[in-house]
Amino acid sequence: MKSKKKIVLAYSGGLDTSIILKWLQENYDADVICYTADVGQEIDRKKIITNAKKFGVKNIIIKDLKDIFVKDYVYPMIRGHAIYEGVYLLGTSIARPLIAKDQIRVAKKFKAYAVSHGATGKGNDQVRFELGYHYFGPKIKIIAPWRIWKLKSRTDLINYAKKHGIAIPKDKKGAPPFSVDDNLFHTSTEGKVLENPKNSAPEFIFQRTVSPEKAPNKPSFVTINFKNGNPFGINGKKISPAKLLTKLNDLAGKNGIGRVDLVENRFLGIKSRGVYETPGGTLLINAHRAIESVTLDKETMHKKDQVMSRYAELIYNGYWYSKERFKLQKIVDLKRSKVNGSVKLKLYKGNITIQSRVTNSSAYSMKKVSFEENKSFNKSNVERFINFHKKKLRS
């Protein structure tokens, strides 16, 4: 007997992906493999397994990718100081390429002919997933239910779930839900009251940061240690990438750090208002810029700044695996071997203050920055420098 074809579904165990699971079984003569990438979001393993088994799924895969996510995706992005449209630290954007890559790995392992995702037809994630799928499995079919099925509204989804005995959480029965994405790097919240930009974000939507007003009245201090451009320790103690980010998330979140409210320009051309929480990431990007300020020369730093905007846009648009992003990463990582040392931060009611920078780098010289008169400093060289640029100004 010929075995059925296989489809690998990116599956969370929640309402939407459970509906997609049943819909795939109804519309395709194939076995569905449920795949969950653990990139630090809240995961109920028992719920995922139980819900998938209700539909007769035999292969349920939950892969821990937290350390890989931080080390190979978050850290390179931090080295590039990637910030989209001046404020967004790209928490959702940076997770999708890894999930897509590992989903294709599973598809190849099981010789699946297709992969499927639950990204909506108006969002950026469909692009990010599918560019990743194409890069690692160009011959594997992509099934995007939100672009092809006849379920057009939340009411249609609820009715479909009721028809097929899919459990509907109480908060899913009424108004359209908040759209929430979370991983070890960030949490994003969109929808409902947030869709109208005149409305303030209600405090109850924040999940990993307290409001600055309710943060402790005493400051907290933390030292982040760097080697070859990457953080490797906290307060002098070496720690794994996932644990390091977890600790920084907790510390920054308690001090009301890492909140952003923005209206962003999506890749597909529409605007979207979202609230993002990136507590540990906010500490990392501030600390990394601080350690580079005493370890890298001006030319290298400015070259990085020139490409940062484009680098961030490529990540946002799903081009993590593009030739252009790889090329820019080489610029980002110029002389990263020199970026070693530690930065001490003061955290207080939503604010970050650089307390100290410690490095053995020769890029920063006390002799050259001293305001004391220095006989070794050649004033005639300065005059020649100024005269040269006077001529350049007129040319």
Side-chain angles (χ1 to χ4, degrees):
M1 182 178 176
K2 189 177 180 180
S3 60
K4 272 189 175 183
K5 291 182 177 180
K6 297 180 177 65
I7 300 170
V8 179
L9 168 65
Y11 183 71
S12 69
L15 177 62
D16 287 12
T17 53
S18 292
I19 290 172
I20 291 172
L21 169 56
K22 182 60 183 178
W23 181 86
L24 289 172
Q25 291 175 332
E26 277 195 324
N27 290 274
Y28 295 85
D29 184 23
D31 287 327
V32 179
I33 298 166
C34 288
Y35 167 77
T36 303
D38 179 0
V39 288
Q41 73 274 34
E42 286 190 18
I43 282 184
D44 187 336
R45 289 174 175 264
K46 184 177 179 180
K47 177 183 175 182
I48 290 170
I49 295 169
T50 300
N51 287 358
K53 283 185 174 179
K54 285 180 182 177
F55 297 98
V57 175
K58 297 177 181 178
N59 293 299
I60 305 163
I61 299 159
I62 303 173
K63 180 68 173 179
D64 186 344
L65 298 173
K66 292 191 289 293
D67 271 319
I68 294 173
F69 173 53
V70 179
K71 179 177 178 291
D72 296 339
Y73 292 78
V74 172
Y75 282 0
M77 188 174 68
I78 291 293
R79 296 198 301 269
H81 305 151
I83 304 175
Y84 182 67
E85 297 190 332
V87 286
Y88 174 37
L89 295 183
L90 298 162
T92 297
S93 312
I94 195 60
R96 299 317 190 211
L98 172 58
I99 296 170
K101 177 182 179 180
D102 204 59
Q103 191 176 350
I104 291 294
R105 176 191 64 81
V106 172
K108 289 180 177 179
K109 178 181 176 180
F110 285 90
K111 294 181 172 57
Y113 89 103
V115 290
S116 182
H117 61 76
T120 63
K122 290 183 179 180
N124 297 308
D125 281 342
Q126 59 186 329
V127 181
R128 296 165 183 155
F129 278 127
E130 294 182 31
L131 290 180
Y133 295 156
H134 179 73
Y135 185 82
F136 289 103
K139 294 182 180 180
I140 296 175
K141 180 181 173 65
I142 298 170
I143 302 172
W146 282 97
R147 296 205 301 267
I148 56 178
W149 64 13
K150 295 180 180 180
L151 304 174
K152 300 299 182 183
S153 66
R154 202 72 197 165
T155 301
D156 289 346
L157 291 178
I158 297 299
N159 289 337
Y160 186 91
K162 288 178 179 177
K163 178 181 176 182
H164 295 284
I166 300 170
I168 307 169
K170 290 181 179 179
D171 65 332
K172 304 290 186 181
K173 292 180 179 178
F178 283 110
S179 174
V180 177
D181 175 74
D182 67 316
N183 55 51
L184 196 53
F185 191 57
H186 94 147
T187 296
S188 68
T189 307
E190 298 174 332
K192 284 189 176 180
V193 67
L194 298 177
E195 290 184 348
N196 190 333
K198 77 175 183 180
N199 295 328
S200 298
E203 188 61 31
F204 69 82
I205 72 168
F206 293 98
Q207 300 181 43
R208 55 173 72 184
T209 58
V210 302
S211 67
E213 294 86 351
K214 293 184 179 180
N217 292 323
K218 291 184 178 181
S220 298
F221 297 88
V222 63
T223 298
I224 302 175
N225 312 107
F226 290 90
K227 185 176 181 180
N228 294 330
N230 282 341
F232 75 91
I234 296 177
N235 299 329
K237 184 178 180 181
K238 188 175 181 180
I239 191 171
S240 72
K243 289 182 179 179
L244 184 146
L245 185 52
T246 299
K247 285 184 175 293
L248 293 182
N249 280 336
D250 292 342
L251 184 60
K254 290 174 183 176
N255 284 278
I257 291 168
R259 292 185 176 187
V260 166
D261 184 326
L262 75 149
V263 176
E264 69 198 65
N265 289 293
R266 286 185 174 179
F267 189 24
L268 295 178
I270 62 175
K271 289 185 181 289
S272 172
R273 194 268 188 99
V275 172
Y276 297 93
E277 298 172 85
T278 319
T282 303
L283 299 188
L284 285 177
I285 203 162
N286 276 268
H288 191 269
R289 291 199 73 103
I291 195 63
E292 282 197 342
S293 72
V294 291
T295 58
L296 293 183
D297 59 90
K298 182 180 77 171
E299 183 180 355
T300 302
M301 292 184 69
H302 287 192
K303 188 176 290 186
K304 288 184 62 173
D305 282 343
Q306 287 170 7
V307 304
M308 185 274 282
S309 178
R310 179 58 180 165
Y311 177 83
E313 186 175 25
L314 288 171
I315 297 172
Y316 185 85
N317 291 345
Y319 279 77
W320 180 257
Y321 300 116
S322 68
K323 289 183 179 179
E324 186 179 0
R325 203 282 302 179
F326 291 141
K327 181 180 179 180
L328 293 185
Q329 192 69 51
K330 290 181 179 179
I331 296 174
V332 162
D333 288 335
L334 283 171
K335 301 184 181 180
R336 60 174 283 206
S337 62
K338 296 181 179 294
V339 184
N340 306 299
S342 61
V343 176
K344 185 177 181 180
L345 304 175
K346 175 183 176 181
L347 319 180
Y348 183 67
K349 291 190 177 295
N351 295 296
I352 304 170
T353 305
I354 308 295
Q355 293 292 105
S356 67
R357 307 161 182 85
V358 178
T359 181
N360 292 324
S361 171
S362 60
Y364 189 92
S365 169
M366 287 293 291
K367 291 181 180 180
K368 291 182 180 179
V369 300
S370 174
F371 285 96
E372 297 292 330
E373 286 296 326
N374 192 323
K375 293 180 181 179
S376 65
F377 196 76
N378 194 325
K379 295 179 182 179
S380 63
N381 286 342
V382 176
E383 291 176 357
R384 282 195 293 271
F385 179 84
I386 293 172
N387 288 332
F388 170 79
H389 284 281
K390 282 180 180 177
K391 293 177 182 178
K392 194 173 182 181
L393 185 66
R394 293 192 294 268
S395 63

